[in-house]
Amino acid sequence: MPENDLSALESLLKSHEFLYHVNLDRKTADLVFDGRTLKALYEFMGRNSIDYIDFPISSGKESVVFKAYSKGKPVVIKVYKLSTLRFANIWKYIEGDYRFSKERIHRSNIVNIWAKKEFTNLKQLRKYGIPCPRPIAFHKNLLLMSYVGTKVAPAPMIKEVSIDFSEIYNQVVEDLGIMYRKAKLVHADMSEYNLLYHRRKAYFVDLGQAVDRDHPAADYFLERDLRNVVRFFSSKGINCNFENLLKKVKGEPVSE
Ligand SMILES: Nc1ncnc2c1ncn2[C@@H]1O[C@H](COP(=O)(O)OP(=O)(O)OP(=O)(O)O)[C@@H](O)[C@H]1O
Ligand SMILES: [Mg+2]
């Protein structure tokens, strides 16, 4: 490509608006992406043969999740927002996790560690056969993973479906047990928002904050997760309680 044939994106990045960093934080709220993220996205798309970005599946406070296409196949790009991912909120999930606590962490790069952390956690779940997106690559504040859904639509959250929840409950309990005992991870943001319903199974998503079982607050996070699971499935008519669930996940005998 000739040097003067800049893509529209590159020209945009070089434009006054993106080089001017004052008030960037305030601007990102409206723009969605700041200049650094756009540059990272541009590099990421080239490296990973992303043909095009299709549509945003979800746009939340801390991330935007897009469906995209790579070599004709659907994939998902998760973009962690630099401005709203609060240092103090995410520090506690990194500090006590020996896998990441040695990284050189600074306010400006903590969000990049977050992408790497979600990538590593998803890989660990896949290793033990837990249903979740397959992580493909990460770069700066971006994560590329497989798409969970059909041709028609991305998989819904389990809170959005009307099904018989007993089978799904058993699967979630079994997989939370595998996650804790074999993958040695605690999800730490478990809820009906982070379980997708796909091919009659619950898929675990949103693994950025998941911590190693040896994290000093792992027990606290596990308890909070399991209370959320019990709250949701009880509301769907499943007979479950926190004490038994905790034992099951930890692999301790349960008297029912
Ligand atoms: N691989 C995927 N395939 C299909 N849909 C996905 C995938 N990953 C995420 N999603 C959808 O995007 C939503 C948001 O993703 P995720 O939970 O990972 O982000 P988040 O950190 O909760 O973002 P925020 O807190 O800003 O809302 C999910 O609830 C799910 O509906
Ligand atoms: Mg989520």
Side-chain angles (χ1 to χ4, degrees), residues 32-33 53-60 62-68 75-81 118 133 143 145-148 154 196 205-206:
V32 180
F33 297 146
I53 294 180
D54 198 358
F55 62 87
I57 297 175
S58 147
S59 174
E62 303 194 324
S63 76
V64 187
V65 173
F66 290 97
K67 184 180 182 191
V75 287
V76 162
I77 303 176
K78 182 169 177 179
V79 181
Y80 303 88
K81 291 190 191 173
E118 178 148 23
L143 172 69
M145 57 185 146
S146 64
Y147 165 76
V148 181
L196 306 184
V205 296
D206 209 356

Side-chain angles (χ1 to χ4, degrees), residues 11-171:
S11 342
L12 187 64
L13 289 173
K14 290 190 173 165
S15 72
H16 176 73
E17 181 169 21
F18 286 103
L19 291 176
Y20 196 68
H21 285 275
V22 180
N23 286 338
L24 194 60
D25 266 3
R26 196 159 51 79
K27 273 191 192 170
T28 50
D30 310 316
L31 281 173
V32 180
F33 297 146
D34 55 281
R36 259 197 296 164
T37 299
L38 281 174
K39 187 165 183 293
L41 194 55
Y42 176 73
E43 292 160 355
F44 200 50
M45 287 179 71
R47 274 188 218 170
N48 293 288
S49 317
I50 307 284
D51 313 322
Y52 66 97
I53 294 180
D54 198 358
F55 62 87
I57 297 175
S58 147
S59 174
K61 209 155 45 77
E62 303 194 324
S63 76
V64 187
V65 173
F66 290 97
K67 184 180 182 191
Y69 279 85
S70 168
K71 295 182 188 151
K73 296 222 167 69
V75 287
V76 162
I77 303 176
K78 182 169 177 179
V79 181
Y80 303 88
K81 291 190 191 173
L82 299 178
S83 57
T84 53
L85 209 54
R86 297 264 168 254
F87 188 85
N89 288 350
I90 64 182
W91 174 242
K92 61 174 180 273
Y93 296 95
I94 292 174
E95 187 191 16
D97 194 319
Y98 75 93
R99 299 171 303 159
F100 301 95
S101 55
K102 284 178 203 68
E103 301 265 356
R104 279 158 41 93
I105 295 168
H106 186 260
R107 272 171 202 278
S108 64
N109 77 352
I110 194 161
V111 67
N112 303 344
I113 293 167
W114 206 241
K116 180 177 178 182
K117 192 162 183 274
E118 178 148 23
F119 179 93
T120 310
N121 288 336
L122 285 171
K123 234 179 159 175
Q124 181 74 349
L125 296 201
R126 299 280 302 194
K127 186 172 161 194
Y128 292 96
I130 299 171
C132 68
R134 179 174 58 84
I136 301 168
F138 65 89
H139 173 56
K140 307 242 165 105
N141 57 324
L142 309 171
L143 172 69
L144 181 65
M145 57 185 146
S146 64
Y147 165 76
V148 181
T150 62
K151 275 196 182 132
V152 181
M157 300 172 192
I158 59 162
K159 75 185 206 42
E160 296 167 326
V161 294
S162 309
I163 48 163
D164 172 2
F165 280 92
S166 41
E167 232 177 84
I168 285 287
Y169 177 70
N170 291 336
Q171 179 232 317

Side-chain angles (χ1 to χ4, degrees), residues 205-240:
V205 296
D206 209 356
L207 270 294
Q209 69 296 314
V211 296
D212 186 88
R213 212 173 64 173
D214 289 334
H215 186 289
D219 280 347
Y220 166 77
F221 294 142
L222 181 65
E223 180 171 334
R224 193 177 62 185
D225 279 358
L226 301 188
R227 288 198 189 279
N228 271 338
V229 169
V230 167
R231 177 191 42 72
F232 174 72
F233 283 98
S234 300
S235 80
K236 296 293 179 188
I238 303 294
N239 178 16
C240 51

